[in-house]
Amino acid sequence: MPSPGPPKSLIAIGVMVAGPLDFVDARAARMAVEQADQRLSELFEEFRFDFFEIRRPEMTGGSIAGNGRVEPSVLLQQAVEERDSRHWDFAIMLTASELVGNYSSFCFAALSRPLDAAVLSMSLIDPMALGVEANRDERVERIARRLSRLILHSIGHLSGLPQSSHPNDLMYHPPHAGALDLMAGMGTESVERQRMALAEIADQRLEEGAGRALTKPMFALRAAWINRKEITQAIWAARPWEFPKRLSRLTIASFSTLAILFMTAEAWDLALGQGSVRLPTLLFVSLLATTFYVVLRQQLLVRRGTRRSEQAIVTSVSAMGIVFVGMATTWAALFVVGMVLSFFLFPSALIADWAASSISAPKDLTWSHRPQMAVFAASLGLMIGALGASFESQHYFRHIIFVDEEL
């Protein structure tokens, strides 16, 4: 009698249905989960994939935006709460409603690597939504096929796989729902890369083993260190260097403050009077203060009771890292603009006149004085800009921070 072999590593995937589904969508959703399970089992025989299907008809409450569309950030937050409470590795939320898109005019999926979660809409993948005539069975078959490929794409993305440029690859970024019909294959390199990622995901979590004996601070530090690669990937995927473009209130407030400071004689006098230690300290404090302020103001930290969770630590650290890099990028842009303004619009004689308490004559102006003013103005501008960022819609801000791919 052949030996049963070693037990397969478990990957737990929660599939939640937010709101009601009609007969076609409900049947298609069940078929899609079965197809995704079969495909994953074929690709990764050493793993056991458990799909947990849960209905949550009340979950769309409070998340409806204009034109009956649903905010992905709200459903993602609810998915994360379910993921943590049930110890899933991934959480996938299905809804019949159309999603609000912030990067394009339409959105049928919002994927979040920091949250290990995805929201998939069945609205725009229905052939009827594209004006294609189909009977009920044909609709079920097409929706199921497209939804299963969205699920597989989502799991691949959450595992850290990059996008593919080939239309037949599961990791291709489909420009429309019809392109999902062609997404069936997966390259050998991608399969091996996902296999390695799944092996790490299936490992025992910190709170289930050695982490039980650690204090809360040590647990957080240990969890962050163990998952440093995943955190780095999450920060990179969020593209925080695009903060100045995406967060208009932050940009407007920051650059307006910069312009006002540069046009004020007292600001020049104050900036050039600072010592060599004070300005770097001001820079450091401005980055930390704005990061913590925005994170707390926009409620980006994951909080669910007092239970320790390695996933929650990863999500919170990723959010703080994304905001910190975004703020650092904004500061760098302010500094560069400040340097350009100081060299091209402010002659030495004018600066010496405005900063009379620090510079007695134009000849006393050195190469370091203009950068001093740029650092001073950029740091204050960033802190004022953080106030502007705090007034961004929480739904929009959470979307910018957590949704790293929108289909």
Side-chain angles (χ1 to χ4, degrees):
M1 182 176 178
S3 60
K8 295 184 177 182
S9 300
L10 173 65
I11 301 293
I13 304 169
V15 179
M16 294 153 287
V17 177
L21 295 182
D22 61 20
F23 174 81
V24 171
D25 285 342
R27 186 178 170 194
R30 287 194 298 270
M31 291 177 60
V33 171
E34 292 172 0
Q35 292 173 13
D37 189 3
Q38 181 180 359
R39 179 64 169 155
L40 287 170
S41 299
E42 292 172 353
L43 288 172
F44 309 104
E45 296 180 351
E46 66 272 35
F47 296 98
R48 177 167 61 89
F49 296 90
D50 278 0
F51 282 82
F52 299 88
E53 300 177 51
I54 298 176
R55 291 190 175 274
R56 287 289 183 266
E58 78 285 356
M59 274 192 171
T60 54
S63 63
I64 301 297
N67 300 320
R69 296 185 298 169
V70 180
E71 290 283 357
S73 62
V74 175
L75 294 182
L76 281 171
Q77 180 65 25
Q78 293 168 336
V80 168
E81 292 177 359
E82 290 289 329
R83 181 206 72 185
D84 285 348
S85 65
R86 298 176 184 273
H87 303 277
W88 293 332
D89 296 300
F90 302 115
I92 297 175
M93 184 80 74
L94 306 182
T95 178
S97 302
E98 186 178 345
L99 302 177
V100 175
N102 287 290
Y103 305 142
S104 59
S105 57
F106 67 91
C107 177
F108 49 80
L111 315 182
S112 174
R113 196 174 301 174
L115 300 178
D116 285 329
V119 177
L120 311 180
S121 170
M122 302 177 69
S123 174
L124 296 182
I125 64 174
D126 190 332
M128 290 184 62
L130 303 176
V132 177
E133 294 186 6
N135 59 40
R136 190 171 68 176
D137 290 340
E138 289 174 338
R139 285 179 61 204
V140 169
E141 190 274 331
R142 290 189 189 181
I143 294 173
R145 182 174 66 245
R146 292 173 179 176
L147 184 59
S148 68
R149 290 171 184 181
L150 271 180
I151 293 173
L152 293 171
H153 178 98
S154 301
I155 294 173
H157 178 82
L158 300 181
S159 301
L161 295 186
Q163 291 182 12
S164 171
S165 59
H166 199 289
N168 298 121
D169 197 297
L170 278 170
M171 296 312 299
Y172 179 66
H173 187 95
H176 51 79
L180 291 166
D181 295 330
L182 301 176
M183 294 166 53
M186 208 170 184
T188 303
E189 183 179 348
S190 294
V191 171
E192 290 304 315
R193 187 168 176 174
Q194 187 168 4
R195 177 176 284 110
M196 294 174 61
L198 292 174
E200 294 178 2
I201 292 168
D203 286 343
Q204 186 182 54
R205 298 200 180 279
L206 187 60
E207 65 270 17
E208 299 169 347
R212 295 174 181 173
L214 298 176
T215 62
K216 286 186 177 181
M218 290 304 299
F219 179 87
L221 290 173
R222 180 63 175 165
W225 175 254
I226 292 173
N227 296 278
R228 59 192 182 278
K229 181 180 178 181
E230 182 180 345
I231 292 171
T232 303
Q233 289 177 342
I235 294 173
W236 180 264
R239 303 186 300 279
W241 50 86
E242 295 183 4
F243 261 34
K245 181 178 69 174
R246 295 179 177 177
L247 301 175
S248 59
R249 290 181 176 146
L250 166 68
T251 303
I252 292 171
S254 298
F255 283 88
S256 297
T257 302
L258 183 80
I260 292 171
L261 290 174
F262 265 85
M263 296 300 295
T264 306
E266 288 80 3
W268 279 91
D269 200 19
L270 181 61
L272 300 191
Q274 303 304 311
S276 58
V277 176
R278 289 183 180 179
L279 283 178
T281 302
L282 177 62
L283 164 60
F284 181 73
V285 169
S286 68
L287 288 175
L288 287 185
T290 53
T291 297
F292 280 103
Y293 174 75
V294 171
V295 166
L296 295 176
R297 180 70 174 78
Q298 294 290 351
Q299 300 179 16
L300 300 180
L301 298 180
V302 174
R303 297 173 182 151
R304 186 178 175 85
T306 58
R307 188 181 67 83
R308 298 179 179 185
S309 170
E310 182 180 337
Q311 286 177 301
I313 295 297
V314 171
T315 299
S316 296
V317 173
S318 297
M320 293 188 67
I322 291 167
V323 175
F324 180 84
V325 175
M327 289 300 174
T329 301
T330 305
W331 184 91
L334 291 167
F335 176 79
V336 170
V337 171
M339 288 292 291
V340 172
L341 290 175
S342 66
F343 276 103
F344 287 95
L345 297 182
F346 296 89
S348 299
L350 179 61
I351 295 174
D353 185 49
W354 280 3
S357 65
S358 302
I359 302 173
S360 56
K363 62 182 178 60
D364 296 329
L365 196 69
T366 66
W367 64 268
S368 65
H369 285 117
R370 285 184 171 87
Q372 275 185 250
M373 179 58 184
V375 170
F376 178 80
S379 300
L380 292 185
L382 185 67
M383 288 191 278
I384 299 300
L387 297 177
S390 69
F391 288 105
E392 295 279 3
S393 164
Q394 193 173 98
H395 294 320
Y396 176 73
F397 199 95
R398 292 181 68 86
H399 193 103
I400 294 299
I401 295 297
F402 290 126
V403 176
D404 45 43
E405 185 176 12
E406 188 180 282
L407 304 177

